[in-house]
Amino acid sequence: MARRTTSSSTGSTPGPRNRTPQPLPRRRRTFGDFAKATAAFVALLVLLVGVPGALVVSVGWPLPHGAPSLDWLQQEITVGTFINVLTVIVWFAWAQFTACVLVEVKAALSGVGLPNRVPGAGPSQLLARQLVAALLLVGATAASFAPGLSQLGQSLEGNQRGTVAAAQQTPGGLFAQQQEQAASSAAAALAEQAADAASHADAGSGHTAHEGDTKYYRIHPPEGRHHDSLWEIAERHLGDGRRYKEIYQLNKDRTQPDGSKLSEASLIRPGWILEMPGDAHGGDLVELPDEAPKVSEQVQQQIHDYAKTGDHQQGGGQQGAGDRDTAHIHLPHQRPGGDQGVGRGGDQRHEQGASHASDSSAAEESGFSFGLPETLVGAPLLAAGLLGALGRRRRQALWQSALGAVGGRRGMEPPVPTGSAADAQDALLVGADPEGVRLLDLSLRGLAAALAAESRPLPTVYAAWLSGNGDLHLQLAQPAGKPPAPWQLGQDQTFWMLARADAERYEDVDTAAPYPGLVSLGTMDDSRLLLNLESVPGIVSLSGSASDRAGVFASVAAELATNGWSDRMTITLVGFGEDLTPLAPNRLRHLDDVEALVETMEAETRQRRGALGAAGHDSVLTGRTGPAQHTRWAPHLVLLAAEPSAEDAVKLAELAADASRLGIGYLVGTESGDLPGAAWEMEITGEGKLLAPLLGLELDAQSLPVAQQRAVVELFVEADPERERTNSAAPPFLVDISEQGRPAVYARLVGPYEIIGLDTPDGERSPLMHEALALLLLHREGVHPRVLSSALWPRGVTDDVRDALVDRLRGWLGTDPDGTARLGTDATGRLTLAKSVVSDLDVLRSLYHEATQGKGVNSRAVRGRLLTDALVLVRGPLLADRPAGRYGWLTHEIIDAQLPLLVADIGLALSAFHLEKDRAEKAIEALNAALNSAPADERLWNELLRATHTTGDGDRMKRLAADLVARSGARGLPPRTEALLDELLPMWRSGVAAVG
């Protein structure tokens, strides 16, 4: 990737940096500039003052002086009438032009983005824009040593400025180009004065300041979209952008000329003064301001006053609430408290050990990663989304197979992943934080509901931070007042904060997801950043090598496609990611090239603008709360991995200029780092750092490399409901059900948890060891040690604690007569149980398999006995008496869907067995027994209707129909059941009413 380096007198070494726009050419004002400005001023004066004055003097009041009557309408139309009509039209045109001038002046003074459009004002607004820009082209010279026009209002208390300076400067318009020229001229004047001052100070080299020639730097006004940053200052004057922290420490919390303070390394403002390290160099530094004749006396005094506020005046004070600027993504302050280590999802560490993050770090330091992809382990929200989507996909496959089967299940067991897919699944189990996702979703929807109840709009949110202790911080684009309880104001007016304890008290609410475009980018100081892609006013660009960019793009696409805090969403992948579509076929779509993208987005942009206008909404945010929330206003996020051509880039920039209002976000890759229309610019390095110094970000990036992409996609492809399944799929573990096959250890899991063949462990370790054994019994293919520890200790545990438990578990289970330990380890390092350790679920599966695909196929008597024995084993739901707060890992399993289907299959098979001999009562008894464990299975109810119908008891049928109607509630009977009742009991509706 092409890199831009900043040279200095002593040379510089480029470090990691965020690409910034090249400064525009600097030039002095010419006579033509002044002539244009004068002409623009005269034209504005004539149009704004002369036109209405001439109308008043020459025509006067053009409208009738009284209410119109029928006689007035019948009067003759004269020349005066035409003149009055034309006068009214001219007044309207003047009012429209005046509105255009006010809009353009407001946009010019704020320096933020393109001005708003005045309806129907096309040529008028263009003329106003050109006149205002020409006038300001010369007026910008007043900004020499004062903050530029785009910075006015930043020093107001409470940070009332509601826009992002660096982010909202959109290119492409004539006015934007003229603004850049004006700003660059102001910056040129500042640079010239500072250079003259520095050269004059160098001439007086005999003078030395205290502590060795202390140097000062005054922050430049912005040049177009280019805002100065500590990183770039350090890169220019210290030779390494990474030394920005030295500048920050020298100036932290010292009062600036405008009364505010430097409280964030990512926040500096034009006009501020910075003390520089002693080895700083460069022409725009000031050493002795009182001997620099071109530096105004006011500036000299400011530097002298600032020099007096050195280290001895600095305290460790807190940052002022009004000293923030939303031009940067700030890291929120951590809440005060005790030991707040980072566990998955922000939980505090378990008292017995460190978090999974520390476990991962220790593994990486030792060079041994337990064979699991650490990129997935370290992405808790992404892992939770993928794991949840995978579970839903597998359940869908089970139900679809069950409903499509006649007399039994097809493909009872989902395929067990192997190789890299197994490692990916284990990594998802270790890293996933479903509780964190649940709380994030509840918090955001709860906020939307509370604001809707107060008739308040949703604020624009640029980013969300999940801090180390689990608190949620939303960074707003501008102050939005006091948040609704239990939300609180954060470190300033642009942060709303919700403590984890308050989030846990939220309940589900029926409201649209307010910020579905949030996506994880990485971590910074133990806090996880989620950027709201749909709110960025323009394009987000990502530079770096192609492979590094691909990992970030894949991570963003996978999380957006599977996250739990969104409703409907469209993610368009351009030039990459076709193989990712199996993750979420309803959300992800793939386009081959930019041409197709531009055509698609032009149509959608027009459609969304029209829809918002017709609904009377300013943006999609107002459409997601209140009476119109049913429309949902789902976001559309575009991920373009390859750099577009210059022409396509301009088209995308024009589309993105209004995208944030429409709920459309653009993330675009670039090789050169120079992308037109890029509002926020980031870079991914080969070391896995995501850098955006102008936004104040240096993250440990979240990425999904190609190998992990393929492994995750394989999991989803194997779970596809449309994938062909074999009818003879056997359980993963078959038990010897003969008399000779008695197990040494027998665990009853279907119903209350019991263990036969082992003594109960002593004291407090007993529940933990029982839970570990249950996990192993449900995974006969083996359990990775890290999966075991994450299941038993969701908040994290150290390796020695986990290994001690495994040793105790191995000792508790004992050995077989041949001396083989009943808890072993396979070739991949996973923990496995010996065949002598069996559960009733293993027996249940084996009995059904043997009855339907083994000896029972050719022997009716054997089939009946095996099915009866299997149904007797069903004593209730899985682990019916499990204690609250434990066995949370069951949420990742599909056994809760498999077991009822298996019981229903057994009940259906046994019912069919009895009905073959016209034993209806026996069939009904078997079906009722199965319904105790699978009460929602439609197949059982339908078969019960058929079996009851064979008894010829009409009243019994009516009672059964009434029971079914009562159970179905407001949803009504399923179509198949209703059709079956129409066939078996034509008058069932009146019969149900009579029974009721």
Side-chain angles (χ1 to χ4, degrees):
M1 182 190 69
R3 291 184 176 269
R4 176 178 61 84
T5 60
T6 303
S7 60
S8 65
S9 58
T10 60
S12 62
T13 303
R17 65 15 174 193
N18 186 46
R19 188 205 61 79
T20 57
Q22 294 283 355
L24 293 173
R26 298 175 177 175
R27 62 182 182 88
R28 295 183 180 274
R29 298 292 181 269
T30 65
F31 176 77
D33 293 333
F34 286 98
K36 289 179 182 178
T38 303
F41 176 76
V42 172
L44 286 173
L45 191 64
V46 169
L47 292 173
L48 296 180
V49 180
V51 169
L55 290 174
V56 170
V57 172
S58 61
V59 180
W61 182 253
L63 299 177
H65 294 282
S69 63
L70 184 61
D71 293 338
W72 180 79
L73 295 175
Q74 294 175 346
Q75 290 180 0
E76 181 182 358
I77 299 176
T78 64
V79 174
T81 305
F82 278 109
I83 292 175
N84 287 337
V85 171
L86 291 175
T87 302
V88 172
I89 295 174
V90 174
W91 272 111
F92 275 118
W94 172 85
Q96 186 187 60
F97 179 76
T98 302
C100 293
V101 172
L102 293 176
V103 167
E104 296 296 333
V105 170
K106 177 180 179 294
L109 293 179
S110 66
V112 180
L114 289 174
N116 295 327
R117 297 177 180 175
V118 178
S124 296
Q125 188 163 7
L126 179 60
L127 175 61
R129 181 177 304 170
Q130 292 172 340
L131 293 175
V132 171
L135 182 62
L136 293 181
L137 183 62
V138 174
T141 56
S144 59
F145 255 124
L149 289 176
S150 64
Q151 302 298 321
L152 288 178
Q154 285 191 0
S155 59
L156 295 178
E157 184 177 358
N159 189 14
Q160 297 302 311
R161 182 165 172 250
T163 50
V164 175
Q168 293 188 352
Q169 296 289 342
T170 53
L174 174 63
F175 183 66
Q177 295 172 1
Q178 291 169 334
Q179 277 186 307
E180 288 181 355
Q181 293 173 359
S184 67
S185 300
L190 172 62
E192 290 171 7
Q193 292 183 6
D196 291 341
S199 61
H200 188 85
D202 290 339
S205 57
H207 298 276
T208 56
H210 300 293
E211 304 296 329
D213 290 344
T214 303
K215 301 178 180 68
Y216 295 93
Y217 176 84
R218 192 171 177 85
I219 307 301
H220 291 192
E223 301 179 25
R225 290 187 300 107
H226 179 192
H227 290 248
D228 221 342
S229 69
L230 288 186
W231 181 285
E232 292 197 331
I233 294 170
E235 194 174 51
R236 288 197 304 270
H237 301 295
L238 299 176
D240 188 349
R242 289 170 292 188
R243 293 185 62 186
Y244 75 92
K245 295 181 181 179
E246 298 177 30
I247 306 175
Y248 171 69
Q249 292 299 329
L250 281 174
N251 298 276
K252 180 177 179 291
D253 293 331
R254 295 171 65 178
T255 303
Q256 295 289 339
D258 62 2
S260 56
K261 297 179 180 180
L262 175 63
S263 53
E264 285 283 349
S266 59
L267 168 60
I268 58 176
R269 295 175 181 165
W272 278 10
I273 299 164
L274 298 178
E275 180 180 342
M276 300 293 289
D279 61 337
H281 50 78
D284 49 356
L285 297 178
V286 178
E287 293 186 11
L288 298 173
D290 37 348
E291 295 189 13
K294 290 191 178 182
V295 177
S296 68
E297 293 182 2
Q298 178 186 4
V299 174
Q300 294 180 30
Q301 186 60 45
Q302 287 177 353
I303 295 178
H304 277 298
D305 294 342
Y306 187 75
K308 296 177 182 178
T309 62
D311 294 337
H312 64 284
Q313 295 291 340
Q314 297 183 34
Q318 298 296 322
Q319 298 173 345
D323 295 338
R324 302 277 176 185
D325 186 341
T326 54
H328 301 79
I329 302 297
H330 304 298
L331 180 67
H333 296 326
Q334 300 294 327
R335 287 170 58 84
D339 182 18
Q340 295 174 346
V342 180
R344 292 182 303 118
D347 288 335
Q348 291 182 340
R349 293 179 180 176
H350 193 276
E351 61 185 2
Q352 297 187 39
S355 66
H356 287 290
S358 63
D359 181 18
S360 172
S361 298
E364 290 174 348
E365 290 173 2
S366 65
F368 180 53
S369 64
F370 294 90
L372 297 185
E374 297 299 329
T375 53
L376 292 174
V377 174
L381 303 184
L382 170 61
L386 289 170
L387 204 58
L390 181 60
R392 291 189 295 272
R393 182 72 58 85
R394 287 172 172 170
R395 286 179 172 84
Q396 183 183 359
L398 284 171
W399 295 326
Q400 185 166 320
S401 179
L403 293 176
V406 178
R409 289 262 298 119
R410 296 196 318 268
M412 180 181 299
E413 301 296 333
V416 177
T418 59
S420 60
D423 291 338
Q425 178 173 278
D426 286 341
L428 294 177
L429 290 168
V430 172
D433 179 24
E435 180 65 9
V437 171
R438 187 184 72 86
L439 291 179
L440 176 61
D441 185 42
L442 288 178
S443 302
L444 296 176
R445 293 181 194 267
L447 174 63
L451 289 171
E454 298 177 5
S455 299
R456 295 171 59 186
L458 286 168
T460 299
V461 169
Y462 280 135
W465 290 92
L466 285 173
S467 62
N469 57 7
D471 296 345
L472 174 61
H473 302 255
L474 297 182
Q475 185 167 351
L476 313 184
Q478 59 187 1
K482 184 179 180 181
W487 289 78
Q488 308 169 27
L489 282 175
Q491 60 206 51
D492 63 34
Q493 295 288 329
T494 61
F495 273 99
W496 285 4
M497 189 275 293
L498 181 68
R500 184 183 178 92
D502 293 327
E504 290 171 342
R505 290 193 285 270
Y506 263 122
E507 297 181 355
D508 290 325
V509 292
D510 182 19
T511 189
Y515 304 111
L518 286 168
V519 64
S520 302
L521 291 183
T523 57
M524 179 178 180
D525 295 342
D526 295 337
S527 292
R528 184 168 299 277
L529 171 67
L530 290 88
L531 184 66
N532 191 6
L533 284 179
E534 68 166 338
S535 73
V536 177
I539 292 173
V540 179
S541 71
L542 178 66
S543 60
S545 69
S547 59
D548 292 332
R549 292 202 317 268
V552 174
F553 271 89
S555 172
V556 170
E559 185 169 297
L560 288 173
T562 61
N563 70 31
W565 54 88
S566 301
D567 297 320
R568 296 182 300 110
M569 177 188 293
T570 300
I571 304 123
T572 298
L573 312 179
V574 186
F576 86 105
E578 186 174 8
D579 55 339
L580 293 175
T581 53
L583 300 182
N586 294 330
R587 283 193 181 186
L588 289 170
R589 70 176 179 182
H590 176 266
L591 296 178
D592 291 328
D593 51 39
V594 181
E595 182 179 354
L597 172 67
V598 171
E599 181 180 353
T600 300
M601 298 313 299
E602 283 178 343
E604 181 159 347
T605 298
R606 287 194 301 270
Q607 187 273 332
R608 290 200 175 213
R609 282 175 181 159
L612 282 177
H617 296 307
D618 296 329
S619 73
V620 294
L621 290 179
T622 57
R624 288 180 184 155
T625 56
Q629 66 170 298
H630 64 278
T631 60
R632 302 295 179 178
W633 300 104
H636 185 169
L637 302 174
V638 176
L639 308 181
L640 173 58
E643 182 171 10
S645 66
E647 181 180 355
D648 290 332
V650 172
K651 292 179 180 178
L652 289 176
E654 293 172 351
L655 289 171
D658 198 28
S660 61
R661 187 177 69 89
L662 305 176
I664 302 174
Y666 293 86
L667 177 62
V668 181
T670 170
E671 288 283 351
S672 62
D674 186 9
L675 185 68
W680 291 357
E681 298 165 327
M682 300 182 294
E683 177 186 358
I684 178 68
T685 70
E687 294 75 32
K689 294 289 185 180
L690 190 67
L691 305 179
L694 296 183
L695 297 177
L697 296 179
E698 184 176 346
L699 305 173
D700 293 323
Q702 180 172 299
S703 178
L704 189 60
V706 175
Q708 278 70 64
Q709 292 176 41
R710 292 172 179 167
V712 168
V713 169
E714 182 181 342
L715 292 172
F716 279 79
V717 170
E718 288 293 328
D720 188 354
E722 304 299 327
R723 190 178 178 86
E724 285 292 330
R725 306 287 178 187
T726 58
N727 292 335
S728 59
F733 176 66
L734 288 173
V735 178
D736 183 358
I737 57 176
S738 66
E739 287 294 329
Q740 294 75 27
R742 292 181 177 274
V745 177
Y746 182 66
R748 304 178 74 180
L749 305 179
V750 185
Y753 191 5
E754 299 177 17
I755 297 179
I756 301 171
L758 293 175
D759 295 330
T760 301
D762 295 335
E764 299 177 353
R765 298 193 183 101
S766 179
L768 204 60
M769 295 177 69
H770 277 73
E771 186 176 357
L773 180 57
L775 177 63
L776 291 165
L777 284 167
L778 291 178
H779 290 277
R780 303 303 305 219
E781 72 278 8
V783 176
H784 198 285
R786 293 183 71 182
V787 173
L788 178 68
S789 62
S790 66
L792 300 181
W793 293 281
R795 298 178 180 179
V797 72
T798 54
D799 294 350
D800 56 344
V801 174
R802 179 198 65 209
D803 295 341
L805 174 76
V806 172
D807 290 339
R808 283 193 292 269
L809 187 61
R810 184 175 285 112
W812 180 44
L813 291 173
T815 60
D816 284 333
D818 61 359
T820 304
R822 292 173 181 152
L823 177 61
T825 305
D826 65 10
T828 65
R830 289 173 171 80
L831 300 171
T832 58
L833 291 173
K835 292 184 177 181
S836 57
V837 182
V838 172
S839 73
D840 55 354
L841 185 59
D842 297 326
V843 177
L844 189 66
R845 288 166 167 163
S846 300
L847 287 171
Y848 178 69
H849 177 76
E850 191 67 22
T852 56
Q853 299 182 43
K855 297 178 180 179
V857 174
N858 299 319
S859 173
R860 172 180 167 79
V862 171
R863 182 168 71 255
R865 176 175 58 81
L866 294 174
L867 291 174
T868 302
D869 291 345
L871 201 55
V872 170
L873 288 177
V874 181
R875 300 174 300 124
L878 187 76
L879 299 167
D881 58 352
R882 61 181 181 269
R886 300 214 65 91
Y887 295 85
W889 47 270
L890 282 173
T891 58
H892 302 314
E893 307 286 340
I894 63 168
I895 185 63
D896 60 329
Q898 286 178 297
L899 181 59
L901 289 174
L902 176 60
V903 174
D905 289 342
I906 295 171
L908 291 170
L910 188 56
S911 170
F913 171 81
H914 289 303
L915 288 177
E916 288 177 0
K917 296 296 184 180
D918 297 325
R919 294 197 290 262
E921 293 299 333
K922 288 288 187 180
I924 293 172
E925 181 182 349
L927 293 169
N928 282 324
L931 280 168
N932 290 331
S933 294
D937 197 304
E938 181 186 356
R939 298 173 301 155
L940 289 175
W941 287 108
N942 292 349
E943 194 63 27
L944 184 60
L945 284 172
R946 294 188 182 94
T948 304
H949 182 261
T950 61
T951 64
D953 190 338
D955 292 337
R956 190 173 181 180
M957 279 289 293
K958 292 178 182 179
R959 289 194 297 272
L960 179 58
D963 187 22
L964 275 173
V965 171
R967 286 174 178 269
S968 62
R971 295 175 300 175
L973 291 173
R976 293 186 183 184
T977 302
E978 190 171 352
L980 182 61
L981 274 173
D982 288 337
E983 176 189 346
L984 300 179
L985 192 65
M987 304 299 293
W988 67 275
R989 290 177 174 82
S990 58
V992 166
V995 171

